């Protein structure tokens, strides 16, 4: 069984926690605040959402980054090596491109998480949409995935399906992935597109 953690418990982190709770999938949540500060909100979302310390949360196989973009480096420092981990980047970088060394934000994030397999996903919808039931009138809400590591994309697609979404693969980060990237004031064409697919 894969284990999951959401790091960051703001609007996006909570929205994703709702998606896990809806399907009774265990997920650990952590943030800069101590677990006891997150626990009441986690309990209110559902019994499968458990607040823990950051270092405990990082024991999970798959870690969803939902922190403000500037904080991802602090999270990266919490483990000496990210080998064997899949990191799902659900963040959007509202910083000028020059602060990202000219890279797309996920490629920039990947540099901090040495050894991890990085997949960009769950970032193109606003939190309220992400928190809502993804199954509407027989269709499933689309989430876009991109990544440079084929091995990592399959399990993340499986997770998205398990959560009730319809995953759509956009290819590598700098190819299709560019459609769901925000850099400074430039937003990818697919950001905020709320689409549905009939069949899973």
């Amino acid at each position: 069984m894969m284990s999951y953690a959401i790091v960051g418990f703001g609007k996006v982190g909570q929205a994703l926690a709702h998606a896990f709770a809806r399907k009774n999938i265990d997920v650990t949540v952590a943030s800069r605040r101590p677990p006891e500060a997150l626990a009441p909100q986690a309990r209110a979302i559902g019994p499968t959402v458990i607040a823990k310390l950051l270092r405990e949360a990082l024991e999970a196989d798959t870690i969803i980054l939902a922190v403000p973009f500037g904080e991802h480096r602090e999270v990266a420092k919490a483990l000496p090596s990210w080998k064997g981990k899949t990191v799902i980047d659900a963040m959007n970088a509202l910083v000028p491109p020059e602060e990202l060394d000219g890279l797309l934000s996920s490629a920039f994030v990947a540099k901090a998480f040495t050894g991890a397999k990085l997949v960009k996903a769950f970032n193109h919808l606003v939190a309220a949409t992400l928190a809502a039931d993804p199954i509407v009138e027989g269709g499933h809400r689309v989430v876009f995935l991109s990544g440079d590591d084929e091995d990592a994309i399959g399990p993340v697609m499986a997770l998205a399906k398990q959560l009730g979404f319809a995953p759509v693969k956009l290819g590598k980060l700098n190819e299709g992935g560019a459609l769901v990237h925000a850099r400074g004031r430039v937003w990818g064409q697919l950001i905020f597109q709320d689409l549905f697919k009939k069949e899973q």
Side-chain angles (χ1 to χ4, degrees):
M1 280 290 289
M2 288 287 264
S3 53
Y4 301 103
I6 299 166
V7 176
F9 204 49
K11 286 184 183 157
V12 172
Q14 290 182 28
L16 286 163
H18 275 283
F20 277 86
R22 200 179 290 117
K23 297 291 184 179
N24 289 316
I25 301 169
D26 289 336
V27 66
T28 303
V29 295
S31 82
R32 283 180 308 184
R33 292 181 296 153
E36 48 276 18
L38 311 181
Q41 182 63 42
R43 273 198 298 273
I45 292 172
T48 60
V49 181
I50 308 295
K52 290 191 180 175
L53 290 165
L54 177 63
R55 65 166 188 275
E56 295 173 320
L58 296 182
E59 289 169 13
D61 305 310
T62 299
I63 289 127
I64 304 175
L65 283 183
V67 295
F69 186 79
E71 290 174 24
H72 75 269
R73 287 190 197 85
E74 283 308 302
V75 178
K77 285 180 197 156
L79 281 185
S81 163
W82 288 80
K83 208 166 171 50
K85 304 273 183 200
T86 297
V87 171
I88 299 174
D89 176 11
M91 305 178 296
N92 284 314
L94 305 178
V95 297
E98 51 275 15
E99 283 186 34
L100 300 174
D101 303 337
L103 296 168
L104 288 173
S105 60
S106 288
F108 186 78
V109 170
K111 290 202 309 184
F113 291 86
T114 320
K117 295 172 179 174
L118 187 123
V119 179
K120 181 86 171 169
F122 301 115
N123 69 300
H124 87 282
L125 296 169
V126 293
T129 306
L130 199 54
D133 191 333
I135 302 168
V136 179
E137 293 169 20
H140 296 256
R141 179 170 276 120
V142 167
V143 290
F144 295 110
L145 284 78
S146 58
D148 295 344
D149 198 309
E150 274 300 315
D151 299 348
I153 289 183
V156 177
M157 284 186 78
L159 170 65
K161 276 188 178 163
Q162 230 184 324
L163 295 175
F165 293 97
V168 172
K169 203 155 71 161
L170 295 178
K172 295 201 181 311
L173 292 173
N174 64 353
E175 294 166 3
L179 297 171
V180 287
H181 272 270
R183 277 201 289 185
R185 290 185 175 75
V186 184
W187 293 76
Q189 294 92 316
L190 293 177
I191 285 191
F192 305 139
Q193 295 292 321
D194 191 10
L195 308 171
F196 289 88
K197 257 174 90 168
K198 274 289 180 221
E199 81 296 351
Q200 260 296 60

